[in-house]
Amino acid sequence: MAVKVSIIDDETTLRLTLQMFLEDEGYDVRAASSLEEGWRMLDEFSPHVLLLDIRLPDGNGLDSLHEFREHYPEMAVMMLTAYGDAKTAVRSIKEGAFDYLTKPFELEELKITLQKWIKQHHLEKEVERYREEERRTKLVQMIGESKQMHELKGKISLISESNDTTVLVRGETGTGKELVARSIHQQSKRHEGPFVAVNCASIPADSIEIELFGREKNSVTEQANPKVGLMEWADGGTLFLDEIGDLSLDIQVKLLRFLEDKKIKRLGSVHDIEIDVRVIAATNRSLEEMIQEKTFRSDLYYRLNVVPVKLTPLRERGDDIIMLTEHFLHEFCQQMRKEKPSLRADAKKRLVSYDWPGNVRELKNTIERIAILHQEKELAAYHFDFLNPVEGNVEGAKPIDDVVFDEQFSLEDHIEAIEKKYIEKAIQESKWNITQASKLLGMSRYALQRRIDKYEIT
C-alpha cells in the first residue's frame, strides 16, 4: 500500500510541483490551498503524512498544528515556511511536527526526509508488533480442554472486552482465582497498566486502610511521610482483591464509595484523588451467608457481583488433571534439567480419582515434590501413595467408607480434623518455619497463624 501524503499550501506552483514529484516517487497525494479545504481533505483522505505551510490565507498552520495532531494522532506533520528561524523550528517540533523545511528547499531534501520518516515509522510498528507478540507469549496459561475450561476461557474473553466492569471470581482455595484475574487483565485494554494483587486476609486489620488507600502527611495521622496506597499504584490498570470477605465493614464502606465515584481519600486527607482502576474481587467464602450474618455489606456485594465467575474444582475437570500434571512435570523437570518421566495408566487413574481438596495449587505442589524426589523414567500409581487426605489415626476423622451418619456426626468436625492434620504435617516438614509451611499449604502466613491458634497446635 502506497504511503498517503497531503499538502496544504497556498502557493499554486509549489503545490503542483510537490504533488507531481511525490506521485512520480510512488506516493498517493492530495493537495489543498487553505486550512478550511485542508480539513475536508484530511477527513476524506486520512493521510500518513501532512506537508503543512505556516502562512495560509485563512490562518496560521503552526497555530493549527496542535489541533491537527489531536484529531489525527497517527498522522505525521512536516512544517513548510518561507520565513524560517530557530524559534519557529523549535515551536514546530514542540507542537508535534516530525520535521521542518524552509523554502526554497530541494525536492531531493524532501524525498530524503520522507524516506527517513517511513523508515522510522516502520521501525516503530515493528517494535510495537514485537511488544504485542511478547505480551501474548507471556499471557497467563489457562490449561485444560474440559467443557468447564472452554466456557471459562470464553467468559474471560468476553469480560476482557469491557474496560471497567467489576468482576467477582468465586471458587475453592487453589482453583486459580488470581490466574483468572491476571488473564482478564492481560487480554484487556488495560494490559499495559499495572496489575496489583492484594490478599485482604494477609494484611493486619489495623493497617489495611493505609495499605489500600494511602496516608497523607499531616498532624492528624502524626506521620512524617505520606504513603501511596495500593489503589493508586494500580491506576490505569487492574486491582485484584483476593479474599474480599476478610475486609472489615468500615473498609467495605470505603471500597463501595470508590466503586461508585472512582475517587479515594488518603488517610488524614480532605482531598479526593481520581483513580482509573478496574476491580476484580475473589473469595472462597459464601458472601450470601456473610450478608445474613451482617459481616458483609449487601450493597458492596451487588456492586462487585456485576459479572460473576465461578471456578470449577479440579476434581470435576476430568482429564484436565492429566494435562496439568504433564504441564507441571515439564516445567519442573526443565528447571531441574532432568528428563521428564512418563505417566503410566495406573498413575493417571490414581491422579484422576483423587479428590484434590487443594485443587490446582495442591496438584502443582505434588508434582514439584515428585520431580524433586524421583529419578525414574516412568511414574506409577505407587509414586502417589501419599495422596491421602487422612493419614494415621486422627481423632474425629475417619476414611469416608467408615463414616456413620449418626446423631453425633458433624461434617465441620471432620473437616477441621483433616485441616489440622495437614497443618501439623506442613509444620513438621518445615520445622516450624511458618512462612515455609504457609507456602506448602498454599495459604497466607497470617491465615496459617490463625489456624495454629485455633487448633492450639504447639
Side-chain angles (χ1 to χ4, degrees):
M1 185 181 73
V3 174
K4 296 193 288 186
V5 179
S6 283
I7 305 165
I8 303 179
D9 196 303
D10 61 331
E11 293 182 45
T12 305
T13 304
L14 176 62
R15 188 173 66 249
L16 292 174
T17 301
L18 290 176
Q19 184 167 1
M20 287 188 291
F21 172 74
L22 293 173
E23 285 175 343
D24 288 343
E25 290 294 323
Y27 294 97
D28 187 0
V29 187
R30 300 287 186 278
S33 60
S34 66
L35 288 170
E36 183 181 357
E37 187 184 343
W39 277 109
R40 289 196 299 271
M41 172 186 64
L42 294 179
D43 286 338
E44 295 168 2
F45 187 49
S46 299
H48 298 101
V49 181
L50 171 63
L51 306 182
L52 178 61
D53 192 16
I54 290 182
R55 295 200 176 184
L56 292 160
D58 55 349
N60 187 298
L62 190 52
D63 292 339
S64 302
L65 174 57
H66 178 74
E67 199 174 354
F68 278 129
R69 294 283 298 128
E70 197 173 65
H71 279 76
Y72 307 99
E74 299 295 320
M75 179 180 70
V77 181
M78 183 191 299
M79 302 305 300
L80 309 175
T81 182
Y83 306 92
D85 59 66
K87 191 175 180 180
T88 305
V90 169
R91 185 186 164 194
S92 297
I93 302 302
K94 280 187 174 180
E95 291 287 339
F98 84 89
D99 215 326
Y100 176 97
L101 291 177
T102 303
K103 301 175 186 177
F105 52 83
E106 296 292 331
L107 293 175
E108 193 64 25
E109 185 181 358
L110 173 62
K111 175 182 173 181
I112 291 170
T113 305
L114 283 173
Q115 287 175 343
K116 182 177 73 174
W117 175 83
I118 291 168
K119 187 176 181 180
Q120 181 181 329
H121 179 69
H122 285 166
L123 181 62
E124 287 172 354
K125 287 294 181 184
E126 187 65 20
V127 169
E128 188 179 318
R129 186 189 65 78
Y130 172 76
R131 284 177 177 166
E132 180 62 19
E133 266 186 21
E134 186 180 36
R135 183 183 74 84
R136 289 185 181 279
T137 59
K138 289 182 178 179
L139 280 177
V140 170
Q141 286 183 291
M142 304 293 290
I143 296 168
E145 295 298 330
S146 62
K147 177 186 174 184
Q148 298 95 323
M149 281 303 293
H150 278 294
E151 289 175 353
L152 177 61
K153 291 173 186 177
K155 197 164 191 177
I156 288 172
S157 182
L158 288 172
I159 293 169
S160 301
E161 293 176 8
S162 165
N163 204 35
D164 299 308
T165 307
T166 53
V167 181
L168 181 60
V169 186
R170 310 182 72 163
E172 296 178 7
T173 298
T175 47
K177 294 184 284 294
E178 183 173 340
L179 205 68
V180 169
R182 286 186 181 276
S183 185
I184 292 170
H185 171 76
Q186 290 181 345
Q187 293 182 46
S188 73
K189 292 179 181 178
R190 294 181 176 273
H191 67 268
E192 292 185 352
F195 177 89
V196 177
V198 183
N199 188 314
C200 300
S202 68
I203 304 174
D206 57 354
S207 62
I208 193 163
E209 180 177 1
I210 293 173
E211 291 297 324
L212 284 176
F213 298 94
R215 174 188 63 215
E216 198 56 79
K217 174 185 176 182
N218 61 24
S219 57
V220 176
T221 61
E222 297 182 351
Q223 296 290 340
N225 299 310
K227 178 181 175 67
V228 176
L230 293 168
M231 297 185 83
E232 284 184 72
W233 282 115
D235 191 22
T238 302
L239 178 70
F240 174 60
L241 297 174
D242 198 7
E243 299 193 48
I244 190 76
D246 282 55
L247 288 179
S248 63
L249 288 169
D250 57 331
I251 300 299
Q252 290 178 33
V253 172
K254 291 178 180 291
L255 177 60
L256 176 63
R257 190 178 301 132
F258 165 72
L259 291 172
E260 288 174 344
D261 59 21
K262 297 295 182 182
K263 294 176 183 177
I264 65 164
K265 280 189 177 74
R266 289 182 181 176
L267 182 65
S269 175
V270 295
H271 301 294
D272 287 329
I273 301 173
E274 284 196 31
I275 300 178
D276 174 27
V277 167
R278 177 193 211 148
V279 173
I280 301 177
T283 183
N284 60 0
R285 302 170 66 179
S286 172
L287 297 183
E288 293 81 3
E289 287 182 10
M290 293 183 68
I291 291 170
Q292 293 296 320
E293 296 165 359
K294 301 192 183 302
T295 56
F296 200 85
R297 294 181 62 95
S298 59
D299 46 5
L300 177 59
Y301 169 76
Y302 295 124
R303 192 67 184 79
L304 290 171
N305 199 39
V306 177
V307 180
V309 177
K310 183 74 167 71
L311 301 189
T312 306
L314 182 59
R315 60 184 170 275
E316 297 177 15
R317 289 173 51 188
D319 287 342
D320 282 358
I321 295 170
I322 306 305
M323 288 186 67
L324 284 161
T325 300
E326 296 283 7
H327 169 75
F328 292 138
L329 272 174
H330 173 77
E331 188 177 80
F332 290 124
C333 289
Q334 193 174 48
Q335 288 174 13
M336 298 170 194
R337 297 181 180 179
K338 60 193 294 187
E339 187 179 345
K340 174 179 166 291
S342 61
L343 287 170
R344 270 178 28 181
D346 60 335
K348 292 179 181 180
K349 184 177 179 181
R350 182 68 179 272
L351 289 166
V352 172
S353 63
Y354 179 60
D355 201 41
W356 297 109
N359 291 289
V360 179
R361 186 183 291 126
E362 183 186 2
L363 174 61
K364 184 175 182 179
N365 292 341
T366 296
I367 301 308
E368 183 175 14
R369 174 177 173 175
I370 290 290
I372 292 170
L373 296 179
H374 297 284
Q375 305 297 323
E376 296 93 325
K377 293 183 179 181
E378 192 176 59
L379 296 175
Y382 70 83
H383 287 104
F384 299 94
D385 281 346
F386 60 90
L387 291 178
N388 186 354
V390 182
E391 295 179 4
N393 296 318
V394 183
E395 185 181 351
K398 301 177 182 178
I400 290 176
D401 291 341
D402 298 337
V403 169
V404 178
F405 293 100
D406 55 20
E407 291 180 359
Q408 285 76 41
F409 177 83
S410 169
L411 177 61
E412 187 173 342
D413 290 344
H414 281 257
I415 292 171
E416 287 184 353
I418 293 169
E419 184 177 56
K420 181 180 178 182
K421 181 64 179 177
Y422 269 118
I423 291 170
E424 287 175 339
K425 184 173 178 60
I427 288 172
Q428 288 168 7
E429 286 194 11
S430 64
K431 298 180 180 178
W432 270 96
N433 183 321
I434 302 301
T435 300
Q436 184 60 33
S438 66
K439 288 180 180 178
L440 292 174
L441 292 164
M443 64 171 61
S444 73
R445 191 179 188 280
Y446 296 99
L448 175 57
Q449 189 61 59
R450 286 202 305 271
R451 286 167 172 80
I452 290 173
D453 296 337
K454 174 183 176 181
Y455 298 129
E456 299 179 347
I457 298 172
T458 58

